[in-house]
Amino acid sequence: MSVTPLSKLPHFDPRLVPVIGIDAHLPRVAPERLAPQALVERFARPPSWQPELVLEKLFADRAPAHAAVLVPLVMHGPQASRPTVLLTERTAQLSTHSGQIAFPGGKADEADADAADTALREAWEEVGLEAGHVQVIGMLPTYTTGTAFIVTPVVALVQPGFALRPNPHEVADVFEVPLEFLMNPANHHRHVFEWEGYRREWFSMPYYEPRPAAPGQTAAPQAVERFIWGATAAMLRNFYRFLSA
């Protein structure tokens, strides 16, 4: 029996679903583990660990399809000590996950050599991120979405200096969130939603992006909420488990 996706429910807003817990009791990933060489070495010699989240309840009557997303870690700061994660906001007209925060990525093509090839191609098509700025350092375990996409997260270091060209049909906005914020479980919120006997649990990582004041503006500008939840938050949670293991 098919299940209606949460995003298609009338008046459903994930921001309004109560938070049942925040994982502030878990340790944050130490800043030195977020340095470029430390990230490269972690994938070269991975620890013994298990992903926390791997599968959503299916709500699409369709054949499974392989996909990949790029987890782009932009190397900011002295010695690239303040990396950020580049994310997109999907346009409202897309058939799946419309309006949500996502990594650049999509369905694999037959011509793609592997998941990294898919992720790099999709990042170029969606936001214009050139492969010359990207160094793939590893992959995380697959995550299967409720729309039956088997997604491989491809983690990469991205050198600053790129010029993005978002595809207006797919991407409403592009922004960056500090990796240190996302790798701190004090920012990981747990939600539970029940509807007509269907129970769904998920993580969110709400980030308030500061905005610079406009010329002549005296009042502090309002921060923009970036509500990261669902599959994107799940893959980031697995990344946290990988780095903190």
Side-chain angles (χ1 to χ4, degrees):
M1 183 182 72
S2 63
V3 177
T4 303
L6 294 181
S7 58
K8 299 297 183 183
L9 294 178
H11 311 302
F12 174 79
D13 185 343
R15 296 169 178 81
L16 303 180
V17 177
V19 174
I20 64 167
I22 298 176
D23 285 352
H25 62 286
L26 295 175
R28 67 187 178 100
V29 177
E32 57 267 23
R33 288 196 177 187
L34 306 181
Q37 191 56 40
L39 292 167
V40 170
E41 291 175 358
R42 170 63 52 134
F43 279 99
R45 290 181 289 277
S48 176
W49 76 290
Q50 292 293 328
E52 185 173 347
L53 305 160
V54 296
L55 178 67
E56 294 178 1
K57 292 182 179 179
L58 290 177
F59 51 74
D61 186 17
R62 60 186 299 278
H66 286 277
V69 296
L70 190 68
V71 183
L73 308 179
V74 186
M75 299 289 101
H76 290 298
Q79 288 78 52
S81 59
R82 302 300 298 272
T84 62
V85 180
L86 189 146
L87 293 164
T88 71
E89 179 184 330
R90 294 166 63 85
T91 56
Q93 71 265 25
L94 292 175
S95 59
T96 58
H97 309 292
S98 59
Q100 295 186 19
I101 303 302
F103 298 112
K107 186 178 178 180
D109 284 350
E110 290 185 2
D112 294 337
D114 52 23
D117 205 24
T118 299
L120 291 171
R121 174 183 56 77
E122 286 284 341
W124 166 251
E125 293 175 0
E126 285 188 10
V127 300
L129 180 61
E130 296 180 347
H133 286 273
V134 182
Q135 176 192 354
V136 173
I137 60 173
M139 302 180 190
L140 295 172
T142 59
Y143 180 85
T144 303
T145 70
T147 48
F149 283 105
I150 304 169
V151 183
T152 299
V154 178
V155 183
L157 307 183
V158 181
Q159 295 302 321
F162 51 82
L164 299 181
R165 295 179 298 278
N167 181 337
H169 299 290
E170 298 184 46
V171 178
D173 200 3
V174 183
F175 60 97
E176 298 177 28
V177 178
L179 180 60
E180 187 175 5
F181 174 91
L182 296 169
M183 295 299 102
N184 184 350
N187 301 315
H188 296 184
H189 299 183
R190 296 176 178 269
H191 301 257
V192 172
F193 180 80
E194 295 187 12
W195 183 75
E196 294 188 352
Y198 175 59
R199 178 183 174 93
R200 170 83 184 270
E201 300 182 22
W202 73 83
F203 282 97
S204 75
M205 302 170 186
Y207 175 69
Y208 290 87
E209 180 184 7
R211 288 295 177 92
Q217 183 177 5
T218 56
Q222 279 194 330
V224 176
E225 183 186 29
R226 305 295 193 176
F227 195 79
I228 304 163
W229 75 291
T232 303
M235 287 182 270
L236 286 168
R237 176 73 171 198
N238 286 342
F239 193 26
Y240 162 75
R241 290 297 190 186
F242 173 69
L243 294 181
S244 63

